[in-house]
Amino acid sequence: MAAFTTHTPCQATPLHHNIKILTQNANTKTVHKATSSLHHYSSISSLFSQTKSTLFSNSGSGSSWLQHNPLHHDASSGSGSRQGPIYSVFRTKPAEVASVEDLFEFICSGPLVDKMGLTQEKVAESIDKWLFYGSKLCRLFQLDELYLTTPQKARFYHYYIPVFVWCEDQISQHASKFNDGEEIPPLVIGFSAPQGCGKTTLVFALDYLFRITGRNSATLSIDDFYLTAGGQAELREQNPGNTLLELRGNAGSHDLPFSVETLTALSKLTKEGMKMKLPRYDKSAYSGRGDRADSSTWQEVEGPLTVVLYEGWMLGFKPLANEVVKAVDPQLEIVNKNLGAYYDAWDKFIKAWIVIKIQDPSCVYQWRLQAEIAMRQAGKPGMSDEEVKDFVSRYLPAYKAYLPTLYSEGPNGSHPNHLLLIEIDEARNPILGI
């Protein structure tokens, strides 16, 4: 698998350099549109040229760059709005000045462009949208768009924005299936990705872009459907000695009827004035064992809803033959049996899928360790290294058993035309080769 290599710092180049590139790959009308957009982007960029990024961690690895952002929805907080601070996932080195004119070429070099069927001409035709999205993401994450480092540019223009463009296309395809005047239920997009790989940050960015482009969106996590503390205690008692079901996480530790009720209600949120509250889970309750947050803290969403972004570490997992899972870990047998009910509770609601692929599940341990270290450095409670190891060990058997099938066959019930598979490296950036 070829690794994705980021560009070296680019020097400012004359605008005619990109005009030449665009001319070679698009018609005259498209060239004029893209060039005008670049000029416009340059002017709005100048308004923020004095903004400096002050939200970077010193570790250089940063587990989550959401934790200082006042807009971030953190399920562990137990609050309906999921607010929390932000840490940067990027390195803290002197900013590299990249010219606005270089962005078109940079965008077209991204590993997802070809995968999504985007040509340079198509990118040029919509370049104004790409630049607008990039500008908004810079504001959201408090970065100066004229002083983005190469990793920051890659995160926005090679990852978040291409995925958003893909989601927009999926929404258009979904809407086209309905006749004029018919109520269109929201498209549920599932994000299946291991813990710590950045799916929550991705969903956060996408939700923001949907909102600024005038679409009502809702975000959900499979964490929101964990059993109550009492239900989890019963599960533990029913499976004595099974460490995979001792705490929340694996199949069997979710309230599936509650998830069906919630997702069904969301699908009916098609009219103006309709409202409902989204459940949230408080991971800090009962000394970290967790419990469903009080309904008074749940976030309210309004119709008409366009899209639901539903993320989770085990979305799309398919039950396997017993001998397969027992060879990985005998304790998985009951988990595998429980998994059989998850398609009707979760997967059948999802009509478009984004699967984030990792090369080695052991990355989860490192990412989680980074998260806890960052929390401790910020003066917040965090698990010790041993506690992190124990926590991740409860998920690794499921990763080893189910990820190969997920990557080779796609999620349970998915269609190839509505599936985007993205492989990321240890820095959580897309790489070439899928």
Side-chain angles (χ1 to χ4, degrees):
M1 191 67 68
F4 169 54
T5 305
T6 55
H7 291 267
T8 55
C10 302
Q11 299 297 320
T13 55
L15 182 58
H16 66 73
H17 174 71
N18 264 1
I19 294 177
K20 181 178 180 181
I21 294 175
L22 295 172
T23 304
Q24 293 171 346
N25 297 282
N27 56 40
T28 304
K29 182 178 179 180
T30 301
V31 172
H32 176 72
K33 181 179 180 182
T35 304
S36 299
S37 299
L38 288 170
H39 278 301
H40 172 68
Y41 180 71
S42 180
S43 65
I44 62 174
S45 296
S46 65
L47 297 176
F48 307 100
S49 61
Q50 300 303 315
T51 304
K52 302 298 180 183
S53 174
T54 59
L55 303 175
F56 295 95
S57 66
N58 293 324
S59 65
S61 59
S63 58
S64 170
W65 63 331
L66 287 179
Q67 296 168 345
H68 277 316
N69 196 311
L71 297 177
H72 171 46
H73 294 221
D74 179 9
S76 66
S77 69
S79 67
S81 59
R82 292 186 178 183
Q83 295 180 352
I86 194 173
Y87 290 108
S88 172
V89 74
F90 303 120
R91 298 188 184 117
T92 55
K93 64 177 183 177
E96 303 162 0
V97 179
S99 67
V100 172
E101 293 82 1
D102 175 65
L103 276 176
F104 173 77
E105 184 177 6
F106 186 83
I107 290 168
C108 292
S109 71
L112 297 183
V113 170
D114 288 341
K115 187 175 185 61
M116 295 166 51
L118 293 177
T119 62
Q120 286 192 342
E121 181 177 7
K122 288 182 178 179
V123 173
E125 289 173 351
S126 60
I127 191 68
D128 52 343
K129 290 185 177 180
W130 287 72
L131 301 179
F132 172 75
Y133 300 151
S135 175
K136 291 299 183 180
L137 288 177
C138 285
R139 292 191 190 186
L140 175 64
F141 292 112
Q142 301 185 28
L143 298 174
D144 188 330
E145 55 196 306
L146 290 182
Y147 294 88
L148 294 179
T149 65
T150 298
Q152 290 167 348
K153 285 203 306 179
R155 184 58 57 92
F156 288 168
Y157 292 101
H158 287 176
Y159 194 5
Y160 294 170
I161 298 175
V163 170
F164 181 69
V165 171
W166 185 85
C167 290
E168 283 189 311
D169 181 63
Q170 292 295 310
I171 290 172
S172 296
Q173 292 185 47
H174 173 69
S176 69
K177 298 176 182 177
F178 298 85
N179 297 321
D180 291 342
E182 285 187 313
E183 293 182 359
I184 303 175
L187 173 67
V188 181
I189 303 177
F191 295 77
S192 182
Q195 300 144 307
C197 72
K199 64 181 178 298
T200 303
T201 313
L202 171 63
V203 168
F204 170 70
L206 296 176
D207 180 56
Y208 175 74
L209 290 175
F210 279 123
R211 292 178 184 278
I212 66 169
T213 53
R215 298 180 180 89
N216 281 349
S217 60
T219 63
L220 275 176
S221 168
I222 64 172
D223 295 358
D224 298 322
F225 300 121
Y226 280 136
L227 294 169
T228 61
Q232 184 63 50
E234 290 180 11
L235 179 68
R236 187 163 51 250
E237 292 172 2
Q238 293 166 2
N239 297 274
N242 190 323
T243 60
L244 302 185
L245 294 174
E246 183 179 1
L247 302 174
R248 66 181 185 269
N250 283 287
S253 64
H254 300 90
D255 188 337
L256 298 188
F258 182 49
S259 67
V260 171
E261 176 186 336
T262 302
L263 291 166
T264 300
L266 278 173
S267 70
K268 297 178 180 178
L269 211 64
T270 57
K271 294 181 180 179
E272 210 168 305
M274 299 179 70
K275 299 179 182 180
M276 68 172 289
K277 286 189 173 184
L278 299 179
R280 299 304 184 209
Y281 190 82
D282 182 2
K283 294 181 180 179
S284 66
Y286 292 96
S287 302
R289 287 189 177 271
D291 195 6
R292 187 169 301 157
D294 188 272
S295 59
S296 64
T297 67
W298 295 1
Q299 179 188 7
E300 187 175 72
V301 293
E302 299 185 26
L305 205 58
T306 302
V307 61
V308 176
L309 308 176
Y310 187 27
E311 56 99 348
W313 72 275
M314 54 170 283
L315 276 181
F317 281 11
K318 302 175 183 179
L320 303 172
N322 273 340
E323 57 267 23
V324 174
V325 296
K326 288 173 68 175
V328 175
D329 188 329
Q331 297 182 110
L332 268 179
E333 186 174 10
I334 183 62
V335 172
N336 190 61
K337 182 180 179 181
N338 293 337
L339 191 58
Y342 276 65
Y343 172 79
D344 286 334
W346 292 353
D347 299 343
K348 76 174 184 181
F349 290 93
I350 299 172
K351 305 304 179 185
W353 287 89
I354 293 172
V355 175
I356 301 175
K357 177 181 179 181
I358 60 175
Q359 294 178 316
D360 184 356
S362 64
C363 287
V364 173
Y365 169 74
Q366 189 60 37
W367 288 332
R368 187 71 195 190
L369 185 60
Q370 291 171 358
E372 297 304 322
I373 291 174
M375 290 288 285
R376 296 199 298 263
Q377 289 178 342
K380 296 181 176 293
M383 290 188 287
S384 68
D385 292 2
E386 284 303 313
E387 288 172 329
V388 170
K389 185 176 181 180
D390 176 68
F391 176 81
V392 173
S393 70
R394 301 171 191 268
Y395 294 86
L396 285 180
Y399 285 136
K400 292 177 181 178
Y402 300 112
L403 285 183
T405 303
L406 176 71
Y407 297 155
S408 63
E409 299 180 4
N412 204 343
S414 64
H415 189 283
N417 293 339
H418 305 292
L419 169 63
L420 180 63
L421 181 64
I422 305 170
E423 184 166 1
I424 62 171
D425 59 21
E426 291 185 6
R428 305 176 182 88
N429 286 318
I431 60 178
L432 299 170
I434 295 181

